[in-house]
């Protein structure tokens, strides 16, 4: 691999890469080594102001005349260019997040590409309703909103950023994106790609920096009309509070503490592999992670032993080694938070079946933020480990007796993003799925996505849905137009009936009698 030179990742404003106006920077750390990867622009309210003015010019300029096909073709060109740079994007994402390259190559970047292709197709095939009355025709059209702010987290950086950029662009909005300060690299590469494919300046802009500085300034700016945010529930509450007084359109995809329900009639081998993947993929740093495994008591020991066997075989270490299954956590602070939770479990006498410590790795990975996969049982339902989003490779195991017990435990939580049910009983699958208080339920699978389906959560897991027409609804304003039709006079109506009778009925029948018979 070529030597990495430490550069400064800049903002992309008004069609140019520029430093923050203050000249200030932040450090972007490589999680697997704990060393400096980049400096990044540390933007503030002045940068927001500049980007908003540029976005406003773009909104009033030629961009507004790009029709559906032009915008769809643009999304296709972005996807094409990302595909050509897939390896570079996969490497950047792996180094910036610490996640295994086999994941960025096979999941994160292909999905980011698919987001652009999908929304290109979605707007090409989009339809809206018309409603017909005798006196009027109503038809509904989608218009872009205007300036939208997209704020994204560090766990799936390009995957989640493009999940918002693609529909926002496809709908014809102007965008200011604020990626996580911890994973700014692939967002910068996306800005390069967007510049290459030729978008009017100001349509897509990128501001790096801290959530409390540039993120807060962005959501509070009166000219930002909509905010799509993915991140933690606490931050989501702040975003909602800032948006409310201005009646900004808001989509919040927040945390999850998702149950995996395993019934005794499941296919055990497939279930164990699925539950393991759901719990530990991306080191558990996925809002959809199945971090609470609930197992029917009769198979509790078999599931626990199967999970332990699989976890012991997972390679942890260098994210760039294609054999690695578990990479580093995002930061030293995040690992400390996870260690704190495990300490609580130990203090309360819970059983730590595996993990619960840092792995021993050789240099340079001995300085990275790694943590061994951890499985814990013996915790009460009100334990912070059961109730709070840990967002790391820590999964709890609980036993249940019957369906009602399982559903009760699954729902007894403030979150409601997703759940997984493992059973071979079809009726049970329907029954339990319908009883679960969450936005998405998978049966005998996990993270099987179709981009047309609604994505989002109940309760503290967020507000709104994204995906397919839901994203087009969010990134557009529905406008209904009603056109009055000529009112027929009573004599014209009689004439119409008479002529209907003449054309279609035999002369001896009156039209009305005939039509009722
Ligand atoms: O996320 P934040 P953090 C959960 C997970 C994690 C916790 C905190 O439990 O441990 O959240 O993670 C920007 N105004 N999830 O602190 O703060 C921030 O810069 C405007 C779940 O990293 O929510 C970043 O771009 N923006 C989650 C984005 O918000 C603000 C994924 C997310 O950061 C802001 C990540 C503010 N006041 C963490 N403060 C999921 N649902 O997938 C921060 N930001």
């Amino acid at each position: 691999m070529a030597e990495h030179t430490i550069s400064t990742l800049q903002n992309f404003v008004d069609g140019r890469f520029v430093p923050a106006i203050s000249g200030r920077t932040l450090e972007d750390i490589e999680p697997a080594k704990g060393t400096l990867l980049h400096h990044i622009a540390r933007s503030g309210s002045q940068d927001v102001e500049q980007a908003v003015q540029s976005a406003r010019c773009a909104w009033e300029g030629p961009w507004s005349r790009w029709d559906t096909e032009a915008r769809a073709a643009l999304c296709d060109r972005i996807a094409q260019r990302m595909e050509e740079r897939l390896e570079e994007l996969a490497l950047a994402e792996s180094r910036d997040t610490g996640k295994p390259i086999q994941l960025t190559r096979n999941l994160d970047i292909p999905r980011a590409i698919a987001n652009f292709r999908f929304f290109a197709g979605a707007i090409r095939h989009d339809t809206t309703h018309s409603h017909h009355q005798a006196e009027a025709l109503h038809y509904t059209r989608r218009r872009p909103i205007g300036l939208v702010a997209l704020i994204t987290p560090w766990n799936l950086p390009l995957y989640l950023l493009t999940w918002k950029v693609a529909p926002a662009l496809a709908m014809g909005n102007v965008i200011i994106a604020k990626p996580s300060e911890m994973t700014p690299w692939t967002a910068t590469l996306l800005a390069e790609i967007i510049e290459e494919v030729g978008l009017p300046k100001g349509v897509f802009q990128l501001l790096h920096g801290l959530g409390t500085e540039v993120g807060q300034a962005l959501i509070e700016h009166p000219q930002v009309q909509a905010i799509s945010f993915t991140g933690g529930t606490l931050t989501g509450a702040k975003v909602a509070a800032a948006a409310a007084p201005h009646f900004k359109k808001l989509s919040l995809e927040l945390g999850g503490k998702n149950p995996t329900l395993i019934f005794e009639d499941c296919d055990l081998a497939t279930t164990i592999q699925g539950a393991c993947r759901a719990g530990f993929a991306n080191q558990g740093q996925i809002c959809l992670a199945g971090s609470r495994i609930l197992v029917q008591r009769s198979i509790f020991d078999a599931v626990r032993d199967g999970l332990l066997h699989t976890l012991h075989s997972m390679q942890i270490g260098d994210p760039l080694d294609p054999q690695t299954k578990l990479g580093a956590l995002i930061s030293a602070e995040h690992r400390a938070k996870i260690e704190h939770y495990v300490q609580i479990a130990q203090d309360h006498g819970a059983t730590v079946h595996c993990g619960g410590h840092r792995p021993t790795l050789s240099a340079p990975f001995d300085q990275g933020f790694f943590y061994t996969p951890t499985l814990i049982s013996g915790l009460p339902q009100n334990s912070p480990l059961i109730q709070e989003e840990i967002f790391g490779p820590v999964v709890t195991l609980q036993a249940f007796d019957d369906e009602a017990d399982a559903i009760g435990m699954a729902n007894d939580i403030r979150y409601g993003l997703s759940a997984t049910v493992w059973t071979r009983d079809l009726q049970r699958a329907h029954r339990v799925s319908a009883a679960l208080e969450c936005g998405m339920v998978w049966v005998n699978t996990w993270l099987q996505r179709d981009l047309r389906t609604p994505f989002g959560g109940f309760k503290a897991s967020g507000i709104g849905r994204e995906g397919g027409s839901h994203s087009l609804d969010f990134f557009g304003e529905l406008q209904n137009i009603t056109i009055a039709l000529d009112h027929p006079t009573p004599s014209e109506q009689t004439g119409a009936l008479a002529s209907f009778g003449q054309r279609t009925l035999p002369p001896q029948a009156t039209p009305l009698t005939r039509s009722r018979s």
Side-chain angles (χ1 to χ4, degrees), residues 480-499:
N480 192 70
I481 296 175
T482 301
I483 310 276
L485 300 176
D486 282 346
H487 284 265
T489 62
S491 64
E492 282 169 341
Q493 279 176 347
T494 316
L497 285 175
S499 70

Side-chain angles (χ1 to χ4, degrees), residues 215-230:
Q216 193 71 28
L218 190 55
I219 58 177
E220 286 174 356
H221 198 289
Q223 291 190 41
V224 169
Q225 289 149 287
I227 304 166
S228 176
F229 171 86
T230 301

Side-chain angles (χ1 to χ4, degrees), residues 145-180:
I145 305 171
L147 175 54
V148 300
L150 312 180
I151 299 182
T152 49
W154 43 261
N155 58 329
L156 297 160
L158 195 62
Y159 175 128
L160 289 175
L161 180 63
T162 53
W163 181 234
K164 300 181 191 299
V165 171
L169 268 188
M171 278 303 302
N173 295 288
V174 290
I175 295 168
I176 301 178
K178 210 302 277 173
S180 170

Side-chain angles (χ1 to χ4, degrees), residues 103 107-108 111 156 159-160 258 274 277-278 281-282 286-290 417-420 422 440-451 453 455:
L103 211 56
L107 180 75
D108 291 68
R111 168 59 196 277
L156 297 160
Y159 175 128
L160 289 175
N258 314 297
R277 195 172 144 250
N282 204 30
I286 302 185
C287 55
L288 302 165
L417 191 55
S418 71
T420 304
W422 295 91
M440 293 159 283
V441 180
W442 284 288
V443 177
N444 297 331
T445 184
W446 175 75
L447 204 57
Q448 175 67 41
R449 294 277 294 119
D450 179 323
L451 305 189
T453 59
F455 183 98

Side-chain angles (χ1 to χ4, degrees), residues 150-156 160 178-182 209-219 227 229-236 238-239 242 253-256 285-288 330 334 337 388-392 415 417 461:
L150 312 180
I151 299 182
T152 49
W154 43 261
N155 58 329
L156 297 160
L160 289 175
K178 210 302 277 173
S180 170
E181 57 274 27
M182 287 188 271
L210 298 173
T212 47
E213 296 178 356
V214 64
Q216 193 71 28
L218 190 55
I219 58 177
I227 304 166
F229 171 86
T230 301
T233 294
L234 277 178
T235 314
K238 288 186 201 154
V239 173
E253 299 295 343
L254 308 175
Q285 301 169 127
I286 302 185
C287 55
L288 302 165
I330 190 65
H334 191 54
K337 174 183 148 183
E388 295 168 18
E389 186 182 44
I390 300 177
F391 220 58
Y415 293 105
L417 191 55
S461 290

